[in-house]
Each structure stands twice: as structure tokens, then as C-alpha cells.
Amino acid sequence: MNAIVKPGAGTEAGAPGEGAKTGGQGAPVHRRVRSVRTAGGLSLRLDLRAVLVGLLLLAVALAAGIALIGSGDYPMTPGEVLGALTGGGNAGQEFIVRELRLPRVLVGLLVGASFGIAGAVFQTVTRNPLGSPDVLGFAQGSSVGALVVIVFFQGGTFAVAAGAVVGGVATGVAFFLLAWKRGIQGYRFVLVGIGGSAMLYAVVLYLLTKANIVEATRATTWMNGSLNGRDWDQVWPLAAVCAVLIPLALFYGRPLRMLEMGDDAAYALGVRVDRVRVIALLAAVLLVAAATAAAGPIAFVALTAPQLARRLTRSPGPNLLPSAFMGAVLLVTADWAAQRLFGADQLPVGVLTGVLGGGYLLWLLTVERRSGRI
């Protein structure tokens, strides 16, 4: 792996051509990197630790999904859940699992993965561990779009989701234009996002004052972020968006890693810096908008998932797949914990992730301040 230094984010670097890197305290941390040659002659270098961590996170996400399917007013064992999924359960179990609970879990997995990848892209492009879509105002943009539909048009579920997508995409386009000056620079994008977030939050509060009691209750419930009542109508559109945008983001994983060395080094290596930034950010914005439309603005998953994935893999670069799996783990596990602690459908998952993510944000700010980065 080539040496990569990520300014301001505490990224550890590895020596070129060696399976080692330097840890945060200057001590060498040896890494096992294996070269793999495909049948077509393409040579790939795999970080074994990152691969193993990704597979472990995927297994944990699936296990958490099975546990979540088995939770509720009619509890089921993992064996019964698997039996119902494979056609080995009775008619009642198969209806509960396939029609009532499986869509909720699939939405949770897809939303968590979308937020995880989007957060990794944003943090890589901005070179800032706080560069998250929910911190930079994209969730607020989707909230404005959804609330406009709820307050002024009394739209249904599909209309609210469409409004959230339009609001998120419009926010992304506006932020791109405001931050553009001979390309998009990370610090400008962060400043525009923070300012825009404050303005959009003010718009959200204004819309709530214009709503009647029924509309305000519905809007507040949506803004908390929840997986309650999710069905196949939310699964299929989100799955289609993820099937297109996640491979697109992964395709730009290597150029994004080169961007961490700085624009000049990336240009020297043949990376079209502005093109990579725009396409990667566009994919991330669309993923955030689609995920928010499906489950509401669930806070802090996009912020914490990439950071936790990076600390587990100890690998430089955006770590897109581990971040996606970590996002899925965080969201599904939080939803399961909310059901176990407060009962089914009593606590929206967005409230729990907001509390836990806020604590993580305070810890991250403390770490960054002690290291002298902020």
C-alpha cells in the first residue's frame, strides 16, 4: 500500500511497498497485505485485516437483523426466524417474518449502509472527521422538503418521501454551487454546510409553526427518524438506489484514497480531482436523500460509522465497505436495543442514535482537541 496521510483526521500511514504502517504513537504497526492476480491479469492488493473486519461486521449486521426480526410482541428464536425465511415455519410465522418484520430490517440495513458510505465519502472529501451529512445540513434539507409536503399539501407516505429526496438533492446542488471556486475544497464545503444547516433548521422551525396539531405531530414523528411501520414499498425503491449508487461510490474508492494525500499528489498520480469529488459527493448526497426518505433523518450514523470502521481496520483511505457494514450494524443494533429497552414501537431509533451519537461527537471533539487538530 502506498503511504497516505490524511490531514486533520488522524489517519495512520503505511510505508510504500511494505506491509507495515506507523501507529499514532510512532510505533510501527505491521500489516499483512497480500497481492492477488485475477484471471485477466489484473493485480490487486488486499489488506487482510480490513477484509476480515469487513466480513465480521457483515456477519454481525446479519445476526443483528435476525435478532431484530425475532423481537416484538410475538418473540421468535433465531431458529424459528431462519425457518420462516426459508419456508420451514408455519403460516403465522412466515406472515409475521416476511410481511411485517423483514421489510423493517431490510430498510434498516440499507439505510445504515447508505449513511455509512455517505459519511465516509464526506469525511474523505472534506478531510475532516466531523464532515458528516447530518452535521453539514443535508438531513435538514431533506426535512424541509418532507415538511413542505406535509404542511402545505398533506401528502401521503410516497409524497413525503419524494419531498425528502427533492429537498436533499436541492440542498446538495445549492451547497455545491456556493462552495465552488475553481473546484470544491473541503474547508469551504464544511463552512457552507454549517451555515446552510443553521438556515435550514430555522426553516424547519418556521414550517412547524405553520402546521396544525395533526400535521405538527406527523412532522415531528417523521423528523425523529424511525423504522416503525416500514414495508416493501420502502424496501424496493431504496434497494434500487443502493444497487446503482453503492457500486458507483466503491468504484471511486481508490481515487478518493489518493485525494487524502493532497490535490497536487493526486494530480501527479493521474486523478481527476474535481471530477472525483463531484461524482463521489453526488452519489453520497443521493444516498443520504434516499435513506432519509425511507426512514427519516436518523442522526449521527453517518458520522460515527466511518470513524469506528477506520479504527477497527486501522487502514488508510475511506474504508467504504467497512463503513457501510458498520452503519448497518449501528442502525439495526440500535433499533433492536430500543425495542428491548422500551418495547416495540415506543422509541424511534433516531432518538437513540442521536443520544449515543451526541456522546460520541463530544468524545471525538475531545480527542481532536487534545491532538491539536482543532
Side-chain angles (χ1 to χ4, degrees), residues 90-327:
N90 58 49
Q93 290 176 336
E94 291 185 5
F95 174 78
I96 291 174
V97 169
R98 296 182 181 180
E99 299 299 326
L100 300 182
R101 297 181 180 175
L102 181 59
R104 175 183 185 138
V105 171
L106 291 178
V107 169
L109 292 172
L110 292 172
V111 168
S114 299
F115 280 141
I117 284 188
V121 170
F122 271 86
Q123 291 174 15
T124 299
V125 170
T126 62
R127 302 184 194 175
N128 191 322
L130 302 180
S132 172
D134 42 5
V135 175
L136 300 183
F138 290 90
Q140 286 85 345
S142 294
S143 297
V144 169
L147 262 63
V148 167
V149 173
I150 293 174
V151 174
F152 294 113
F153 301 100
Q154 294 77 44
T157 301
F158 179 79
V160 171
V165 172
V166 172
V169 173
T171 300
V173 172
F175 286 4
F176 286 157
L177 295 177
L178 291 172
W180 187 273
K181 184 180 180 181
R182 295 189 298 274
I184 294 179
Q185 299 297 325
Y187 75 92
R188 283 204 304 268
F189 198 74
V190 170
L191 292 176
V192 169
I194 293 174
S197 176
M199 296 175 63
L200 290 169
Y201 182 68
V203 174
V204 168
L205 295 180
Y206 170 76
L207 291 173
L208 289 176
T209 64
K210 300 294 291 183
N212 60 40
I213 186 64
V214 175
E215 295 165 350
T217 301
R218 183 185 176 195
T220 303
T221 301
W222 185 88
M223 288 176 58
N224 284 331
S226 176
L227 299 179
N228 298 341
R230 297 305 180 263
D231 55 27
W232 292 105
D233 290 338
Q234 284 84 37
V235 173
W236 296 121
L238 182 58
V241 171
C242 290
V244 174
L245 295 179
I246 289 180
L248 177 63
L250 295 177
F251 177 79
Y252 283 93
R254 182 176 177 83
L256 284 172
R257 179 175 177 176
M258 294 179 182
L259 286 182
E260 294 183 344
M261 296 185 293
D263 290 359
D264 292 339
Y267 275 122
L269 293 172
V271 177
R272 297 181 179 179
V273 173
D274 290 335
R275 177 181 178 181
V276 169
R277 281 203 183 103
V278 170
I279 294 179
L281 284 174
L282 179 61
V285 168
L286 291 174
L287 282 172
V288 170
T292 304
I298 297 176
F300 289 116
V301 174
L303 173 70
T304 57
Q307 291 296 315
L308 294 176
R310 182 186 295 274
R311 281 165 170 77
L312 288 177
T313 61
R314 299 180 185 175
S315 176
N319 290 281
L320 294 180
L321 270 183
S323 298
F325 297 149
M326 177 60 76

